[in-house]
Amino acid sequence: MDSLHFLVGREQELRDLIQSSQRRDSVRAACRDVDVSLYHPEDGERPAEGLLAVCVGCRGRLECLALALRAEDPEARHGWYGGLGPADRDRIAAMLRLAKTATSLPDRALMAIRLGRDGWRINDVAQVLGCSRRTVQRYLRSVR
Ligand code: SF4
């Protein structure tokens, strides 16, 4: 099945989420107990199918995908969001005719945001990412 099949009929919802500056912390990520670094394999590699299967049933799948499409550098997509990799997100961006953003965030920022939305404490996020609390707070503020 086409990896983008789940988007059929939800294009406008995705577009709205990409353009929204609202945080929706109520969405519970299905990967909250997973080491999210596993969604960021080396370039060209694909996460384990079991990990991607978690995304299929995730209530926050569309929001997760929107986060990446809103914040990442279109010229340097990395990691898997909403169960979709960089090439899939290129296809979606073209399909939605998304403008290239000038406020792209580094991949580490996206991970911080992802962990923060999963309810991780700032200290824990900083420890996992190997950066300061202040940096984590800056990343989290960048999407408010
Ligand atoms: S869709 Fe995103 S938030 Fe949901 S399980 Fe997959 S990586 Fe986690």
Side-chain angles (χ1 to χ4, degrees), residues 27-32 34 36 39 51-65 80-84 114 118:
V27 173
R28 296 293 292 169
C31 61
R32 61 187 174 277
V34 174
V36 294
Y39 286 104
L51 271 179
L52 298 179
V54 170
C55 300
V56 172
C58 177
R59 288 171 45 211
R61 186 177 189 185
L62 207 61
E63 187 180 42
C64 178
L65 178 60
W80 292 65
Y81 294 84
L84 301 176
R114 174 183 265 174
D118 286 358

Side-chain angles (χ1 to χ4, degrees), residues 10-21 66 70:
R10 303 184 73 187
E11 294 88 349
Q12 188 57 48
E13 187 182 354
L14 176 60
R15 198 186 299 275
D16 290 345
L17 282 169
I18 293 168
Q19 291 169 353
S20 170
S21 60
R70 180 170 72 237

Side-chain angles (χ1 to χ4, degrees), residues 21 28 34 38 40 49 65 78 94 97 109 115 118 144:
S21 60
R28 296 293 292 169
V34 174
L38 297 174
H40 296 257
E49 288 305 319
L65 178 60
H78 184 262
R97 294 189 170 85
L115 292 170
D118 286 358
R144 286 185 183 156

